[in-house]
Structure formats: structure tokens, C-alpha cells
């Protein structure tokens, strides 16, 4: 589970496990806490993988990816480089 590749140059993937079906919300925040991207989709129980294809236009730096499904929340740090 986690984000790869890390550091990211434009496209990344995140892998996670869900205990039950639900609406998945992924949000990407910069170091100032500003939300830079948001994705949502329906997830099913078990291992999931989601690809991000639109990160190349962000300023290089460190970001925080937050995953939320219902009351469950998790996060991962990722770096965007050129």
C-alpha cells in the first residue's frame, strides 16, 4: 500500500485496502494546507489501485495525499519533481 513512484514526475498510483464498499475521496494538499486536487469514486472491499495522471502541472515540492472513506481516513506524503 502507498504511493508510487515517489518522487512523482507527472503520473502516480496509490494502492489501498477498503474494509467495505463506499465513496472514496482522495485529496492532495500542498505544504501550506491548500487543496490542490480532489478525486472521488466508488470503491469496493479489498485492494484498490487508482492512477493520477494530472500532477505534472503542479509546482515541484512535498504534498500530502489524504484518503477518506466514510469515517476512515489515512494519508501519505509524496514529492513532485521535474
Amino acid at each position: 500500500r502507498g504511493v508510487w513512484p515517489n518522487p512523482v514526475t507527472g503520473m502516480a498510483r496509490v494502492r489501498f485496502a477498503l474494509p467495505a464498499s463506499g465513496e472514496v475521496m482522495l485529496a492532495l494538499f500542498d505544504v501550506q494546507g491548500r487543496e490542490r486536487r480532489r478525486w472521488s469514486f466508488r470503491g469496493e472491499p479489498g485492494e484498490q489501485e487508482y492512477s493520477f495522471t494530472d500532477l505534472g502541472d503542479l509546482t515541484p515540492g512535498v504534498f500530502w495525499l489524504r484518503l477518506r472513506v466514510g469515517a476512515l481516513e489515512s494519508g501519505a506524503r509524496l514529492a513532485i519533481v521535474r
Side-chain angles (χ1 to χ4, degrees):
R1 296 180 188 133
V3 179
W4 79 96
N6 197 0
V8 176
T9 58
M11 183 187 134
R13 293 183 179 140
V14 61
R15 181 176 286 163
F16 51 91
L18 298 179
S21 297
E23 188 67 22
V24 176
M25 190 275 300
L26 290 166
L28 186 68
F29 297 89
D30 63 19
V31 293
Q32 285 83 31
R34 296 176 297 201
E35 186 176 296
R36 303 305 303 266
R37 296 285 190 279
R38 179 182 288 248
W39 303 270
S40 61
F41 53 93
R42 182 89 182 150
E44 298 300 323
E47 289 285 325
Q48 305 284 313
E49 186 174 302
Y50 187 79
S51 294
F52 306 96
T53 58
D54 60 348
L55 301 179
D57 64 321
L58 293 172
T59 302
V62 176
F63 292 81
W64 182 254
L65 180 66
R66 183 173 65 198
L67 167 74
R68 184 179 296 159
V69 181
L72 300 175
E73 189 171 308
S74 183
R77 187 178 60 164
L78 66 103
I80 296 178
V81 297
R82 294 283 176 255

